[in-house]
Amino acid sequence: MAPHGGNGKCCEGDSHSHDSAEMGIEYSLYTKINKDNLECLNEECEGSGKTIFKPWEERLNFDTMVQSDADEELLFKIPFTANIKLKGIIIIGSEDGSHPSRMRIYKNRPSMTFDDVSSLPDQEFALHQDSSGSLEYATKVVTFNNVHHLTLHFPSNFGEEKTKIYYIGLRGEFFETHHHGVTICNYEARPNMSDHKNALDEMSTHRIQ
């Protein structure tokens, strides 16, 4: 089955080997997370939700994971130390039914709890089981600009009582304010896709919109 997202069609390019260091640069937004204040609601082990935001090189380290507790739902409340522009998300789970099946994304709503997830998300995706980080879910960049807090809600999985996630990768840019103005730090190593139609051919992941 060709992968597809909850808000558009599948975008696939020719597969090419991709430099790990380059991918590590692209997926470095985890370094801008305020982990001291990051919360994961309904995690079985306290603090385990923080461990899955890690370097690209450690994405396949399955020794660290978060597992849900009372049911299959997980809710991540992610504050950032700088404003970000979110362009893509990768979710790594297992190949069994514990992999999340949906993802709902909310921008700049830091006080959300499970009581609030019935509200309309800023974007929602139907997820596919991915144990290698080969699928990227492309966010609506216009919507996810100037993000200082991100909420990720995983309401369901593929049939197990509990949900497991091993890695969440965030791709985009961050903006740091200095006394002399604003510095824009671009964490993309290749040209902007909107300016170069063939840039997708250089990605080793499938981008899903």
Side-chain angles (χ1 to χ4, degrees), residues 29 83-87 141 144-146 171-173 175:
L29 282 184
N83 281 354
I84 70 160
K85 178 188 292 185
L86 182 65
K87 296 185 176 183
V141 178
F144 292 97
N145 196 5
N146 294 321
R171 182 177 67 84
E173 304 170 9
F175 306 82

Side-chain angles (χ1 to χ4, degrees), residues 22 104 143:
E22 185 178 342
R104 311 179 85 214
T143 299

Side-chain angles (χ1 to χ4, degrees), residues 112-178:
M112 285 190 68
T113 67
F114 285 117
D115 293 333
D116 304 309
V117 295
S118 59
S119 62
L120 186 68
D122 293 292
Q123 193 165 5
E124 183 170 2
F125 289 99
L127 302 182
H128 295 261
Q129 289 170 292
D130 182 11
S131 60
S132 62
S134 61
L135 299 177
E136 181 192 80
Y137 300 91
T139 60
K140 294 180 269 188
V141 178
V142 173
T143 299
F144 292 97
N145 196 5
N146 294 321
V147 178
H148 60 78
H149 189 281
L150 195 67
T151 303
L152 302 179
H153 178 223
F154 299 93
S156 59
N157 60 29
F158 287 93
E160 294 290 335
E161 292 183 359
K162 298 186 177 183
T163 295
K164 296 178 183 178
I165 302 176
Y166 295 96
Y167 173 80
I168 296 180
L170 305 175
R171 182 177 67 84
E173 304 170 9
F174 69 89
F175 306 82
E176 291 190 347
T177 302
H178 302 284

